[in-house]
Amino acid sequence: MTVKLVVLYTHPDDPDAFDHYYFDTHVPLVNVIPGLLRAETGRLVAAADGGEHTYFRAAELYFADQAALQAGFGSEEGKATAADYQKIAPHGSRMFVQAVDD
Amino acid sequence: MTVKLVVLYTHPDDPDAFDHYYFDTHVPLVNVIPGLLRAETGRLVAAADGGEHTYFRAAELYFADQAALQAGFGSEEGKATAADYQKIAPHGSRMFVQAVDD
């Protein structure tokens, strides 16, 4: 069963500087994680429920299954990505594993 | 620019009963929303950051652009879906609009 890592970034102090670093430095680290099938990202532009606009950006990293995800983040490339995430993720950012229903 | 409605359901009292209703009743309502390009859903099986396992299930509904999303939810089918969401979404569930970076 396909799984994805779902990352929810809270609002950075400087959104444009965040995105500049994100696309120039973080995404290239993500793209070489072994086993990564697909990645998708985008800004959360509105809270459709009228509640708090909690998150600034979301990213989803797809892997064939949970073992592939774990192997990916156990690799040097995965560790480099995780270390960079720790550097850039604003306080309150979240990260979940989702089992995608096919 | 492709947009998606991102729905994050918090934990229901009875997860299996929730999913039974979700797939038997809610998903068929979603699938007939005019302009819907694609829908994806899945259980959030773990908090990868070691934090609170806040959400039970996520769903993403893709539309060609923001106008298509608004038209979709302005339709009778969209309104029926939104009404059903109000009926099933556990307290604290969230809904965001995401602009997907192509």
Side-chain angles (χ1 to χ4, degrees):
Chain A
M1 178 189 266
T2 305
V3 301
K4 61 181 180 181
L5 187 72
V6 179
V7 186
L8 301 169
Y9 292 99
T10 53
H11 295 272
D13 291 334
D14 184 336
D16 291 331
F18 179 92
D19 270 2
H20 186 83
Y21 183 90
Y22 186 80
F23 286 104
D24 279 13
T25 304
H26 192 70
V27 168
L29 293 171
V30 168
N31 285 342
V32 295
I33 298 174
L36 180 76
L37 297 179
R38 191 167 83 79
E40 186 176 288
T41 184
R43 282 198 188 189
L44 294 159
V45 295
D49 54 11
E52 185 195 40
H53 186 183
T54 317
Y55 302 108
F56 167 70
R57 174 172 289 284
E60 291 147 85
L61 281 55
Y62 291 75
F63 294 84
D65 52 32
Q66 193 120 353
L69 185 152
Q70 283 171 353
F73 280 92
S75 70
E76 288 309 311
E77 295 89 343
K79 287 175 189 166
T81 303
D84 197 57
Y85 167 81
Q86 293 297 339
K87 203 165 83 178
I88 66 172
H91 182 73
S93 297
R94 297 302 315 274
M95 201 155 37
F96 299 99
V97 178
Q98 181 180 345
V100 180
D101 295 314
D102 298 313
Chain B
M1 178 189 263
T2 305
V3 301
K4 62 181 179 181
L5 187 73
V6 179
V7 186
L8 301 170
Y9 292 99
T10 53
H11 296 272
D13 292 334
D14 184 336
D16 291 331
F18 179 92
D19 270 2
H20 185 81
Y21 183 90
Y22 186 79
F23 286 105
D24 280 12
T25 303
H26 192 71
V27 168
L29 293 172
V30 168
N31 285 342
V32 295
I33 298 174
L36 181 76
L37 297 178
R38 191 166 83 78
E40 186 176 290
T41 184
R43 281 198 190 192
L44 294 158
V45 295
D49 54 12
E52 186 195 40
H53 186 184
T54 317
Y55 302 108
F56 167 71
R57 174 172 289 284
E60 292 146 85
L61 281 55
Y62 291 74
F63 294 84
D65 53 32
Q66 194 119 355
L69 186 153
Q70 283 170 353
F73 279 92
S75 70
E76 288 310 309
E77 295 89 342
K79 288 175 189 165
T81 304
D84 197 57
Y85 167 82
Q86 292 298 339
K87 202 165 86 177
I88 65 172
H91 182 73
S93 297
R94 297 302 314 273
M95 202 157 35
F96 299 99
V97 177
Q98 182 179 346
V100 180
D101 294 314
D102 299 312

